[in-house]
Amino acid sequence: MPRPKSATRVDFRSPDLEDGQHLWRMARDSRVLDVNTSYAYLLWARDFAATSIVATVDDDPGGFVIGYRRPDEPETLMIWQVAVDERHRGQGLARRMLDELVDRLPGDQGVRHLETTITADNRASIALFTSFADARSAPIERTPLFEAAMFPDGHDAELLFRIGPFSTTRSRSTTPGGVMSMTTTTEPATAIFDSLESQVRSYCRSWPAVMTHSQGSTVTSEDGTEFLDFFAGAGALNYGHNNPALLDPLLDYLREGRILHSLDMHTSAKRDFLQAFSDLILEPRNLDYKVMFPGPTGTNSVEAALKLARKATGRQHVLSFTNAFHGMTLGSLAVTGNSMKRRGAGIPLTNSSKIPYDDYFNGAVDDFMWLERVLQDSGSGVDKPAAIIVESVQGEGGLNAARLEWLKALSDLCREHDIILILDDVQAGCGRTGTFFSFEEAGFTPDIVCLSKSISGFGLPMALTLIRPDLDQFEPGEHNGTFRGHNLAFVTARVALETYWADETFQKEVQAKATDLRAGLTAIAERYQGAAVRGRGLLTGIAFPDASAAGKIATAAYEHGLLVETSGPEDEVLKTMPPLTISDEELARGLAILEEATASVLGDGVPA
């Protein structure tokens, strides 16, 4: 069937008796719907008009949704049938009717839950109600309800889909006479995502706008809404969006027809990056590392580090820390603490054990007491590990920031027992904590360092594994990847280093902004009992005693034009991560939005 032309006007109204013939015809043509006698639809139009809706497309009846309130639970709307005329399919009309119907009952009489029954093979209906739940950040319960044996005609078994609780947050326009109108020139912005993309997607559930443009610290959606960015691509955009200092050299490189893909071949772009990295980062810090390009992402860097540590030592076990996060591939998951992410592996994650991160016992137990004891005791039964992997700031684990003296003590312990220390600087590196590497102020040198995210400077995929020279033991080709020679990333990475790290000017600016960010967050946290500021540098947030508060505040901030995420095992931490290049005015504005959002969720708190 040809793809339908997009409507120019769609109106929503309650059904009336004259709609009976249209409702019956659309149900008949929908094929999967049960077609009862015509008078059934007349009864629905008469008795359930308040909980049903008809969509007219350019004044032509184009679809309907029939629902009714559960008598024993008035906040629950049961959806009986959804139908769209075949002439108007492919424009997301069913989803729009559901949204409009649910939003019609404001105030205390509003709908908080939606129920419907669907057969297991009805993919269209499952996608429809799943997208509805996604857009409203509402959970779905799926439970068996009607068994096939209950039907005399061999009808398939049906599942009960229960969605909610949810709140009504959509805006809508109402014309005189109670007709809700929507003018559009394209199909709904999220239709293809809802129908085709996997349910594993996550960020778009919190930020449903369709983004189209970005510049500096601002992201713009296709309806023109501007969002101040306190997320920075999960740390991949330390220098902001479309930074012109990096964009122009990248465009020049492309226009010149230069090498784009090269695996690990020699290219001028790679040479220039390596020279800049050596001159501006390694040598000024007296760091002697070999540079490995393991693949395009942070988890590639971690996997390479783990493999190399095991190869170099001949030992298998690796120790990592409580609440750690190191990536989503199997080796990285094995050293990750988050139970939800670990479950996604589908197999046992072995050859790794977890040990307490700094202050895990709130100071009640001496740091490294257990580890020191078992390493010294030949009868402990604990094998010496190949490596210990650590984050100086646990970005996903709740912004736990290790004390500098704790990190130094960990390094000393590893040296004493000939254990390789891997520093995962994927998120906290590249200036995020105020120095290029997050471990610089602690006064030690890790054996292996993992970098990714902002090392390219422009959001382009790129990762490095920095290796102590004597550990550089992979045979040629023993660890490789197709996209380890991403020359566009080499170009922007070089320019980022030359622009921002040639002297200490930018570092001092970042440290000043970090001071302002922490002061602003502290002022907010001090108003609410039990709230505490966590993190370091421009990777800082607020932990709330009510684990649900951070998510609600992030939602309120989004509604006020600010992108900010949460972290921690229960998402209890409001996590701020603005671009390092953010202006003082933008930083102050973002803090003001967070203050307003927090007050809207938790009240005004203690007066400042």
Side-chain angles (χ1 to χ4, degrees), residues 402-415:
R403 292 167 296 148
L404 300 182
E405 57 267 30
W406 184 90
L407 289 169
K408 179 63 166 59
L410 175 63
S411 174
D412 293 342
L413 183 66
C414 288
R415 292 295 172 93

Side-chain angles (χ1 to χ4, degrees), residues 285-289 408 411 415 421 423 439 442-449 468:
R285 293 162 178 81
N286 295 315
L287 296 174
D288 184 15
Y289 286 127
K408 179 63 166 59
S411 174
R415 292 295 172 93
L421 179 60
L423 198 294
F439 57 82
F444 72 98
T445 302
D447 301 302
I448 301 176
V449 180
R468 201 178 75 203

Side-chain angles (χ1 to χ4, degrees), residues 88-378:
H88 302 300
R89 292 175 191 158
Q91 302 183 61
L93 191 58
R95 166 66 190 282
R96 291 159 66 185
M97 288 190 294
L98 276 181
D99 283 329
E100 294 292 346
L101 176 57
V102 168
D103 292 347
R104 295 183 80 173
L105 298 171
D108 295 337
Q109 298 181 0
V111 172
R112 299 292 309 283
H113 292 86
L114 204 68
E115 288 186 348
T116 192
T117 60
I118 309 175
T119 59
D121 62 350
N122 189 344
R123 296 176 61 185
S125 292
I126 292 173
L128 167 64
F129 287 92
T130 299
S131 72
F132 176 89
D134 289 349
R136 298 182 183 241
S137 300
I140 303 179
E141 297 178 17
R142 300 172 175 87
T143 56
L145 183 62
F146 299 132
E147 299 176 359
M150 297 178 180
F151 300 97
D153 57 354
H155 192 288
D156 291 337
E158 294 197 4
L159 300 173
L160 175 68
F161 278 56
R162 180 172 173 83
I163 301 170
F166 51 77
S167 59
T168 301
T169 58
R170 293 172 4 94
S171 61
R172 61 189 194 275
S173 59
T174 304
T175 62
V179 176
M180 298 177 194
S181 301
M182 182 182 297
T183 301
T184 181
T185 56
T186 62
E187 66 181 6
T190 59
I192 190 65
F193 309 121
D194 296 336
S195 64
L196 190 60
E197 191 178 3
S198 165
Q199 67 179 3
V200 76
R201 62 197 188 278
S202 60
Y203 288 113
C204 59
R205 299 177 190 271
S206 301
W207 307 327
V210 177
M211 307 302 185
T212 58
H213 293 79
S214 58
Q215 185 65 54
S217 301
T218 301
V219 181
T220 306
S221 67
E222 65 182 358
D223 67 358
T225 301
E226 291 188 349
F227 296 90
L228 184 59
D229 189 2
F230 268 33
F231 174 63
L237 294 164
N238 280 2
Y239 310 107
H241 297 265
N242 285 308
N243 188 320
L246 282 61
L247 176 61
D248 291 340
L250 176 62
L251 294 177
D252 290 342
Y253 188 89
L254 286 167
R255 292 189 187 101
E256 292 167 4
R258 306 282 289 277
I259 295 291
L260 301 183
H261 179 268
S262 61
L263 291 101
D264 63 5
M265 293 184 290
H266 295 157
T267 69
S268 58
K270 183 200 286 190
R271 180 182 59 205
D272 293 345
F273 164 72
L274 285 171
Q275 193 65 58
F277 191 70
S278 176
D279 293 345
L280 301 177
I281 302 300
L282 298 182
E283 291 186 9
R285 293 162 178 81
N286 295 315
L287 296 174
D288 184 15
Y289 286 127
K290 298 296 288 292
V291 179
M292 177 180 175
F293 298 98
T297 70
T299 196
N300 295 127
S301 180
V302 170
E303 293 282 359
L306 297 175
K307 284 176 59 176
L308 189 56
R310 288 172 170 136
K311 178 179 175 66
T313 63
R315 303 190 291 264
Q316 295 182 358
H317 212 69
V318 174
L319 298 181
S320 59
F321 290 92
T322 50
N323 292 312
F325 177 77
H326 296 288
M328 299 298 283
T329 49
L330 292 180
S332 299
L333 275 179
V335 292
T336 287
N338 185 285
S339 59
M340 182 273 287
K341 292 179 171 62
R342 289 173 63 87
R343 282 196 302 270
I347 62 171
L349 298 169
T350 59
N351 296 313
S352 173
S353 297
K354 308 298 172 291
I355 56 179
Y357 194 72
D358 187 19
D359 205 33
Y360 186 75
F361 294 109
N362 299 316
V365 176
D366 290 339
D367 296 320
F368 310 125
M369 180 181 70
W370 174 85
L371 183 58
E372 287 181 307
R373 183 68 179 270
V374 298
L375 289 176
Q376 294 168 358
D377 183 3
S378 61

Side-chain angles (χ1 to χ4, degrees), residues 13 18-27 60-61 64:
R13 60 174 174 77
E18 293 181 358
D19 289 318
Q21 59 178 312
H22 301 301
L23 271 59
W24 183 87
R25 174 180 54 79
M26 283 185 276
D60 176 44
F64 70 87

Side-chain angles (χ1 to χ4, degrees), residues 7 12 78 81 399 481 542:
F12 302 95
M78 182 71 188
Q81 283 192 345
L399 296 186
I542 304 175

